Amino acid sequence: MDKIHNLYNLREHRKELRKNPTLQEEKLWWYLRKNQLGVKFRRQHSIGGYIVDFFCKEKKLILEIDGEVHNTKTAKEYDEVRDKFITSFGYFILRFYNSEVDNSIDVVLTKIKEKL
């Protein structure tokens, strides 16, 4: 199964995404980094041809932060295909809107802790 993780052809794109996080990714990372929730999270980890925002291998948990672009029909269809692929490997995806991270970080962290 490891052959689907962090494929070489996505390496530069992952690095670029880590260098230029959204404000919400940066905010959430502050709480996830250095095992603050008791598990290790990685940023911008790829699974197959998809790059996820945050990945916890130990708990098979993926966190996604969604902006307005995810509200379009095309984006919703893409996310559905992507999620189906990723969950087929036994991973669970928690999605949060930018506004949730901005306005209710405590609620976001509680939901993450409950899933962990």
Side-chain angles (χ1 to χ4, degrees), residues 52-68:
V52 300
D53 293 332
F54 301 101
F55 174 70
C56 176
K57 182 178 182 179
E58 178 185 346
K59 298 293 184 174
K60 297 190 108 181
L61 179 62
I62 291 163
L63 307 177
E64 285 291 302
I65 312 298
D66 293 343
E68 289 298 316

Side-chain angles (χ1 to χ4, degrees), residues 14-73:
R14 288 191 309 270
K15 285 169 80 173
E16 192 62 33
L17 289 170
R18 279 192 294 273
K19 286 181 191 175
N20 299 297
T22 66
L23 293 175
Q24 293 77 19
E25 288 170 350
E26 202 168 346
K27 183 175 183 176
L28 184 56
W29 180 241
W30 179 257
Y31 294 94
L32 299 177
R33 67 193 188 110
K34 297 181 182 177
N35 299 339
Q36 291 183 74
L37 298 184
V39 293
K40 180 179 181 169
F41 277 92
R42 297 175 182 162
R43 294 185 302 147
Q44 306 303 336
H45 181 90
S46 66
I47 300 172
Y50 302 106
I51 299 175
V52 300
D53 293 332
F54 301 101
F55 174 70
C56 176
K57 182 178 182 179
E58 178 185 346
K59 298 293 184 174
K60 297 190 108 181
L61 179 62
I62 291 163
L63 307 177
E64 285 291 302
I65 312 298
D66 293 343
E68 289 298 316
V69 70
H70 289 269
N71 291 331
T72 66
K73 182 181 178 198

Side-chain angles (χ1 to χ4, degrees), residues 71-91:
N71 291 331
T72 66
K73 182 181 178 198
T74 303
K76 286 179 182 183
E77 290 170 353
Y78 175 84
D79 285 344
E80 188 177 316
V81 170
R82 177 182 189 266
D83 290 358
K84 188 174 182 178
F85 173 81
I86 291 170
T87 58
S88 73
F89 294 99
Y91 297 112

